[in-house]
Amino acid sequence: MSDVEDFTGKTGRNETPEEQLDRNWAELLQELRVLQTGVQILAGFLLTLPFQERFETLDDFQVGLYLVNVVVASLTTALILLPVSVHRRLFRQRLKATLVSSADFITKVALGGVGMLSVGTAALVFDVTLGRTAGLTAGGVLLAILLLLLIAVPVRLNKRASGG
């Protein structure tokens, strides 16, 4: 089965497989733009922290959590840029189906990175402002909510849509 055949399922649209791939690619790019904005805001916030006076009062756990957040922000940014890099490498090689399929996977992983970054940043802020218990609680609660929103809700909607 060719890559194009992977994307020829019935969509309710009168479009060729190539048109469907073009539409899917455009939709993925728009989703990546939304992700990029969120990551840029969180990463920008994180990058300003070491230049604040209070940063010097962080304990080892807080500094470690901060550094993990910086690494997650950097890796998530790289993931968001990866489909564009792959597109540049595969441009005009008639591999659009491969590009769309890989970008779909990469975008899902990037969503996980955004979720981890949100949890880690909230945990750090709560830890610094209200203490360790509040930080761990906020991080845990936010993690549970994000798992529900980013995994359980789409799975349930997919089951409902497929009659399950």
Side-chain angles (χ1 to χ4, degrees), residues 14-15 23-24 27 29 32 39-41 58 60 62-64 71 76-77 87 93 96 100 113 122-123 125 152 162:
N14 186 20
E15 57 189 3
R23 180 178 49 81
N24 290 160
E27 290 173 2
L29 285 179
L32 288 168
V39 171
Q40 283 176 328
I41 291 168
L58 299 183
D60 289 344
Q62 293 165 337
V63 170
V71 168
T76 301
T77 299
H87 181 262
Q93 293 186 24
K96 180 74 67 109
V100 170
V125 169
S162 63

Side-chain angles (χ1 to χ4, degrees), residues 109-163:
V109 175
L111 276 169
V114 172
M116 288 174 35
L117 182 57
S118 297
V119 168
T121 302
L124 178 62
V125 169
F126 273 79
D127 190 301
V128 169
T129 57
L130 298 175
R132 182 72 26 90
T133 301
L136 294 174
T137 301
V141 168
L142 189 54
L143 177 62
I145 291 169
L146 285 174
L147 287 172
L148 177 72
L149 294 175
L150 298 178
I151 296 173
V153 169
V155 167
R156 180 171 172 116
L157 291 173
N158 190 32
K159 283 183 182 179
R160 184 185 304 168
S162 63

